[in-house]
Short mmCIF file of all heavy atoms in Angstrom, two decimals:
data_model
loop_
_atom_site.label_atom_id
_atom_site.label_comp_id
_atom_site.label_asym_id
_atom_site.label_seq_id
_atom_site.Cartn_x
_atom_site.Cartn_y
_atom_site.Cartn_z
N HIS A 200 21.27 -6.90 -3.10
CA HIS A 200 22.43 -7.56 -3.70
C HIS A 200 22.07 -8.94 -4.18
O HIS A 200 21.28 -9.65 -3.55
CB HIS A 200 23.61 -7.60 -2.70
CG HIS A 200 23.33 -8.40 -1.48
ND1 HIS A 200 23.73 -9.72 -1.32
CD2 HIS A 200 22.68 -8.10 -0.33
CE1 HIS A 200 23.35 -10.16 -0.14
NE2 HIS A 200 22.72 -9.19 0.48
N THR A 201 22.66 -9.33 -5.31
CA THR A 201 22.43 -10.63 -5.97
C THR A 201 20.95 -10.94 -6.07
O THR A 201 20.47 -12.00 -5.63
CB THR A 201 23.18 -11.76 -5.26
OG1 THR A 201 22.77 -11.86 -3.90
CG2 THR A 201 24.66 -11.54 -5.34
N LEU A 202 20.20 -10.00 -6.63
CA LEU A 202 18.76 -10.19 -6.79
C LEU A 202 18.45 -11.13 -7.94
O LEU A 202 19.31 -11.42 -8.79
CB LEU A 202 18.07 -8.85 -7.02
CG LEU A 202 18.10 -7.85 -5.86
CD1 LEU A 202 17.14 -6.70 -6.13
CD2 LEU A 202 17.76 -8.51 -4.53
N GLN A 203 17.20 -11.59 -7.96
CA GLN A 203 16.71 -12.48 -9.00
C GLN A 203 15.68 -11.73 -9.87
O GLN A 203 15.06 -10.77 -9.40
CB GLN A 203 16.04 -13.70 -8.36
CG GLN A 203 16.95 -14.46 -7.41
CD GLN A 203 18.17 -15.03 -8.11
OE1 GLN A 203 18.04 -15.63 -9.18
NE2 GLN A 203 19.35 -14.82 -7.55
N PRO A 204 15.46 -12.18 -11.09
CA PRO A 204 14.46 -11.50 -11.93
C PRO A 204 13.08 -11.41 -11.28
O PRO A 204 12.36 -10.43 -11.48
CB PRO A 204 14.45 -12.37 -13.20
CG PRO A 204 15.83 -12.94 -13.28
CD PRO A 204 16.22 -13.19 -11.84
N GLU A 205 12.72 -12.39 -10.46
CA GLU A 205 11.40 -12.36 -9.82
C GLU A 205 11.30 -11.29 -8.73
O GLU A 205 10.22 -11.06 -8.17
CB GLU A 205 11.04 -13.73 -9.23
CG GLU A 205 12.00 -14.26 -8.19
CD GLU A 205 13.04 -15.20 -8.78
OE1 GLU A 205 13.40 -15.06 -9.98
OE2 GLU A 205 13.51 -16.08 -8.02
N ASP A 206 12.42 -10.65 -8.42
CA ASP A 206 12.40 -9.54 -7.47
C ASP A 206 11.99 -8.24 -8.13
O ASP A 206 11.80 -7.22 -7.45
CB ASP A 206 13.78 -9.37 -6.82
CG ASP A 206 14.19 -10.58 -6.00
OD1 ASP A 206 13.31 -11.17 -5.34
OD2 ASP A 206 15.39 -10.93 -6.03
N SER A 207 11.84 -8.26 -9.44
CA SER A 207 11.36 -7.06 -10.16
C SER A 207 9.96 -6.73 -9.66
O SER A 207 9.07 -7.59 -9.66
CB SER A 207 11.34 -7.32 -11.66
OG SER A 207 12.64 -7.59 -12.15
N ALA A 208 9.78 -5.49 -9.23
CA ALA A 208 8.49 -5.09 -8.64
C ALA A 208 8.54 -3.60 -8.34
O ALA A 208 9.56 -2.93 -8.54
CB ALA A 208 8.23 -5.87 -7.34
N LEU A 209 7.43 -3.09 -7.82
CA LEU A 209 7.38 -1.72 -7.28
C LEU A 209 7.59 -1.82 -5.78
O LEU A 209 6.87 -2.56 -5.09
CB LEU A 209 6.03 -1.07 -7.59
CG LEU A 209 5.84 0.38 -7.16
CD1 LEU A 209 6.75 1.32 -7.96
CD2 LEU A 209 4.38 0.80 -7.32
N TYR A 210 8.60 -1.13 -5.26
CA TYR A 210 8.89 -1.15 -3.84
C TYR A 210 8.40 0.16 -3.23
O TYR A 210 8.83 1.25 -3.61
CB TYR A 210 10.38 -1.37 -3.58
CG TYR A 210 10.77 -2.79 -3.93
CD1 TYR A 210 11.08 -3.15 -5.24
CD2 TYR A 210 10.76 -3.79 -2.96
CE1 TYR A 210 11.38 -4.47 -5.57
CE2 TYR A 210 11.06 -5.11 -3.28
CZ TYR A 210 11.36 -5.44 -4.60
OH TYR A 210 11.64 -6.74 -4.92
N LEU A 211 7.48 0.01 -2.29
CA LEU A 211 6.84 1.16 -1.68
C LEU A 211 7.28 1.32 -0.24
O LEU A 211 7.36 0.33 0.51
CB LEU A 211 5.32 1.00 -1.72
CG LEU A 211 4.68 1.07 -3.11
CD1 LEU A 211 3.28 0.48 -3.08
CD2 LEU A 211 4.64 2.50 -3.59
N CYS A 212 7.53 2.55 0.13
CA CYS A 212 7.85 2.89 1.51
C CYS A 212 6.64 3.60 2.11
O CYS A 212 5.90 4.31 1.40
CB CYS A 212 9.07 3.81 1.52
SG CYS A 212 9.50 4.50 3.11
N ALA A 213 6.41 3.40 3.38
CA ALA A 213 5.33 4.09 4.07
C ALA A 213 5.80 4.49 5.46
O ALA A 213 6.79 3.95 5.98
CB ALA A 213 4.09 3.19 4.17
#
Side-chain angles (χ1 to χ4, degrees):
Chain A
H200 63 97
T201 59
L202 294 192
Q203 304 298 313
E205 60 264 29
D206 297 322
S207 298
L209 183 67
Y210 289 84
L211 292 163
C212 173

